[in-house]
Amino acid sequence: MKIRVGFGYDVHQLKEGRLCRLGGVEIPSDIGPDGHSDADVLLHAICDAILGAAGLRDIGFHFPNTSDDFKDADSRNLLTAVMTLIKDKGYNVGNIDATLVSEVPKISPYISDIKASISSLCNLADDEVGVKATTSETVGFVGRREGIEAYAVVLLEKQ
């Protein structure tokens, strides 16, 4: 069996009054990631990890923030499109491991829902998706509550 590993990273500014959707789950908050799409930083990192493992460039190449087609796009739809791209190349996702770094909003109460969302979008079992949340201990732009980061590692398996 041929396997490939991909790594993804994304970052967005946090703004008051923005919808906060992370991992496809709406998180009640008065602050949320700002971006051209819904700015779901976690799904963006996962998309980049999947695309990278398949040698298909990055999320900005496939869904450019200069295109009105992706203005306010639901990142769940972007991940679904990425899954189609890798299936067309003969790959399935084996597992995903991801970390959100944020001071606000607090992510821990939503981890189960986020895992279920990602599992569903990627056709994976719950134990094939790892989602962790941490803070930056008040250091840097994340610590100052100016932004949010996500990291993801993905294993692809040739069908």
Side-chain angles (χ1 to χ4, degrees):
M1 170 180 18
K2 184 172 184 178
I3 61 171
R4 297 177 83 164
V5 175
F7 173 77
Y9 168 80
D10 197 36
V11 60
H12 284 279
Q13 289 183 358
L14 290 172
K15 297 274 176 96
E16 287 190 28
R18 283 282 298 185
L19 171 73
C20 186
R21 186 179 294 142
L22 300 171
V25 174
E26 194 168 325
I27 310 293
S29 179
D30 60 351
I31 193 167
D34 189 32
H36 186 70
S37 67
D38 64 2
D40 188 328
V41 65
L42 182 56
L43 292 189
H44 293 182
I46 291 169
C47 284
D48 264 349
I50 294 169
L51 290 166
L56 293 172
R57 306 240 348 218
D58 58 56
I59 192 172
F61 176 79
H62 293 277
F63 314 107
N65 65 4
T66 54
S67 171
D68 286 341
D69 291 342
F70 305 111
K71 178 71 176 144
D72 298 322
D74 184 330
S75 294
R76 293 173 292 194
N77 295 333
L78 304 183
L79 181 53
T80 298
V82 166
M83 292 298 293
T84 299
L85 286 172
I86 65 154
K87 284 194 184 308
D88 290 347
K89 283 195 76 168
Y91 287 99
N92 285 323
V93 174
N95 76 299
I96 297 170
D97 187 30
T99 302
L100 276 161
V101 186
S102 178
E103 298 291 330
V104 290
K106 293 298 180 192
I107 308 303
S108 186
Y110 306 98
I111 294 289
S112 293
D113 292 338
I114 292 170
K115 280 183 58 152
S117 170
I118 294 166
S119 296
S120 175
L121 290 164
C122 296
N123 301 310
L124 295 170
D126 189 59
D127 67 349
E128 295 171 327
V129 176
V131 176
K132 299 157 319 280
T134 190
T135 69
S136 66
E137 301 292 334
T138 71
V139 175
F141 70 90
V142 172
R144 291 188 300 271
R145 301 176 177 199
E146 296 170 1
I148 186 169
E149 296 178 297
Y151 300 85
V153 177
V154 170
L155 178 75
L156 294 187
E157 301 168 330
K158 193 73 166 179
Q159 295 177 16

